[in-house]
Amino acid sequence: MTITEAPPAPPAPDQPVVRKPATRKRLVPYWLLLPGILWLLVFFALPMVYQASTSVQTGSLERGFQVTWHFQTYWDAFTEYWPQFVRSLVYAGTATFLCLLLGYPLAYLIAFKAGRWRNLLLVLVIAPFFTSFLIRTLAWKTILADGGAVVGALDALHVLDVTNWLGWTQGDRVLATPMAVVCGLTYNFLPFMILPLYTSLERIDGRLHEAAKDLYASPATTFRKVTFPLSMPGVVSGTLLTFIPASGDYVNAELLGSTDTKMVGNVIQSQFLRVLDYPTAAALSFILMAIVLIMVTVYIRRAGTEDLV
């Protein structure tokens, strides 16, 4: 005789049936992404489309501008202002290198040697952000003033002899020279280099240094074989966060430089606000963006850091 199980009893009338809102759960991530998507759409995508249409327009401010798909504007803008493009990339690259050279030791000190002073040093790193970018740049006009202590020290150390030979200064004058512009860029964007470096170095397990020491590795070998390779994500992030805004900056070149040190950002600003040649200004913006995008893509591929993805 076969005994069969009785079917499960139906739920009591006063006990509600719980149903899983599967559709609602699937839509939750998209609802969370909606504010960010709308922000990018309104403040990034739409302005980009507008600037793209402006770059292929022809006309004048009096007669108005119309979209005529005049792509020759790109070639004309590049051939006329290519020295400013080269100058911007050279200044930004030099400032990025100096930021890495100055920021890495400081980030290393904060991550491994600061101890209870770590938080104070981090506050001092970000403290300049509490002051206006414009005021910080204007302060360098006083620091690099002719006959000042800084210029006198550089002259006494014969640093100006080297920079004069490189064409970055003129005689005993530092202001209104490429060196002044690079100094301003380096100072203003140095925190963007230090913070990613510190974050990357702080994540390194200290036991790896102890293991290298147990294997009789010198401090220099430990740094070359262990510390620096593990900090590469911070190096790549810091260089990108420094180089990208520095290449489009125009404030430092405007306040600390001269007509011979103008960067492409100064040209774009002039075309937009003074010459009122909107198509050329928009074309210059897109050319700069394309150049930086290509350089960044090649750099990331060559660096081979997977932590940036």
Side-chain angles (χ1 to χ4, degrees), residues 53 62 87 92 94 108-109 112 131 150 152 164 169 175 201 218 220 222 224 241 257 264-265 296 299:
S53 65
E62 294 79 13
R87 191 178 297 135
T94 306
Y108 185 93
L109 174 68
F112 297 120
T131 307
V150 174
N164 287 336
T169 54
L175 275 179
L201 289 168
S218 64
T222 302
R224 191 175 70 255
L241 289 175
V264 69
V296 167
Y299 174 62

Side-chain angles (χ1 to χ4, degrees), residues 24-99:
R24 186 181 301 175
K25 284 187 176 181
R26 288 197 299 267
L27 292 178
V28 166
Y30 298 99
W31 285 110
L32 294 176
L33 289 173
L34 185 60
I37 294 174
L38 290 176
W39 179 275
L40 290 175
L41 181 65
V42 174
F43 295 103
F44 180 76
L46 291 180
M48 288 283 289
V49 172
Y50 176 77
Q51 290 297 328
S53 65
T54 302
S55 66
V56 292
Q57 293 178 359
T58 55
S60 64
L61 196 63
E62 294 79 13
R63 293 181 289 117
F65 294 95
Q66 294 182 348
V67 177
T68 57
W69 306 105
H70 190 259
F71 291 100
Q72 183 67 25
T73 305
Y74 283 86
W75 178 251
D76 295 339
F78 181 75
T79 54
E80 184 174 357
Y81 297 109
W82 69 266
Q84 283 79 4
F85 279 106
V86 175
R87 191 178 297 135
S88 297
L89 298 178
V90 171
Y91 289 178
T94 306
T96 302
F97 175 75
L98 292 176
C99 284

